[in-house]
Amino acid sequence: MSFTDSVVYILKDNPVSQSTIQIASSVLNKASGWLPVPKPQEIPAPVMTPAPLPQLFKLASYSGLFIRLAGISGAAAVGLGAYGAHSIMNEEGNEHKKRVFETANKYHFYHTIALLAVPLCHYPLVTGSLFSAGILMFCGPCYYMSITGKDQLRKLTPFGGVCLIVGWLSMMI
């Protein structure tokens, strides 16, 4: 099996990736009802001089969706971070809840910033969907556990972690 075949299997052909892509597509289809999706623009002829970053964002067909999603995710990460700093971090004892919350918030911020780079990827819908699903399925259960003390959503975190890893790998293609 060649390297390319291995990457294709990891990103697309294995059962976890297929179900993750289906879930992410379903979430994006539902979200498209309340998030405006930009119309694809005609890509101008290549220019010899490098284009400034704002022009590169305009060239990508899903840039508006993922930039808006990054804005929502960033605002949520800041709000949750403030909540955690003022409530969870002030609780006496239970260091585990504090560590879980800090991990969730750190990964939430990292992948929100990564969402800003999604329009520059070759397959922005795949990469953005994987990052979005990963944030929801990894950070969400971690936040839930650290706030409520219940770990019933804990089973989702490995799937969320896989989505985040595969999202980064999808940037290579």
Side-chain angles (χ1 to χ4, degrees):
M1 182 181 260
S2 72
F3 176 75
T4 306
D5 292 338
S6 298
V7 171
V8 168
Y9 178 77
I10 290 170
L11 296 179
K12 185 180 132 195
D13 293 341
N14 73 68
V16 174
S17 296
Q18 289 174 353
S19 64
T20 302
I21 291 169
Q22 283 180 330
I23 291 169
S25 296
S26 172
V27 168
L28 285 174
N29 286 338
K30 289 179 183 177
S32 67
W34 54 271
L35 285 175
V37 178
K39 296 178 184 173
Q41 298 177 353
E42 186 175 310
I43 298 175
V47 182
M48 294 304 289
T49 59
L53 197 56
Q55 286 180 344
L56 289 175
F57 282 125
K58 288 179 184 177
L59 296 178
S61 60
Y62 293 99
S63 65
L65 172 66
F66 289 110
I67 298 299
R68 286 180 181 87
L69 192 57
I72 292 168
S73 181
V78 171
L80 286 164
Y83 173 78
H86 294 289
S87 63
I88 295 172
M89 299 306 164
N90 291 334
E91 290 179 9
E92 292 297 321
N94 208 341
E95 295 299 316
H96 178 68
K97 282 174 59 173
K98 293 177 185 179
R99 281 194 317 273
V100 169
F101 189 89
E102 287 174 344
T103 300
N105 199 241
K106 179 172 55 173
Y107 276 72
H108 191 170
F109 269 116
Y110 291 161
H111 291 89
T112 294
I113 293 168
L115 278 174
L116 293 172
V118 164
L120 301 174
C121 296
H122 196 260
Y123 297 104
L125 185 59
V126 172
T127 304
S129 298
L130 287 165
F131 281 150
S132 301
I135 290 170
L136 289 173
M137 291 192 297
F138 180 80
C139 300
C142 291
Y143 283 134
Y144 180 78
M145 193 288 296
S146 60
I147 292 170
T148 65
K150 300 175 185 173
D151 66 350
Q152 61 212 35
L153 299 178
R154 184 177 177 191
K155 295 176 184 174
L156 290 176
T157 56
F159 296 107
V162 168
C163 287
L164 296 175
I165 292 167
V166 175
W168 285 106
L169 292 172
S170 72
M171 291 179 135
M172 295 183 341
I173 298 175

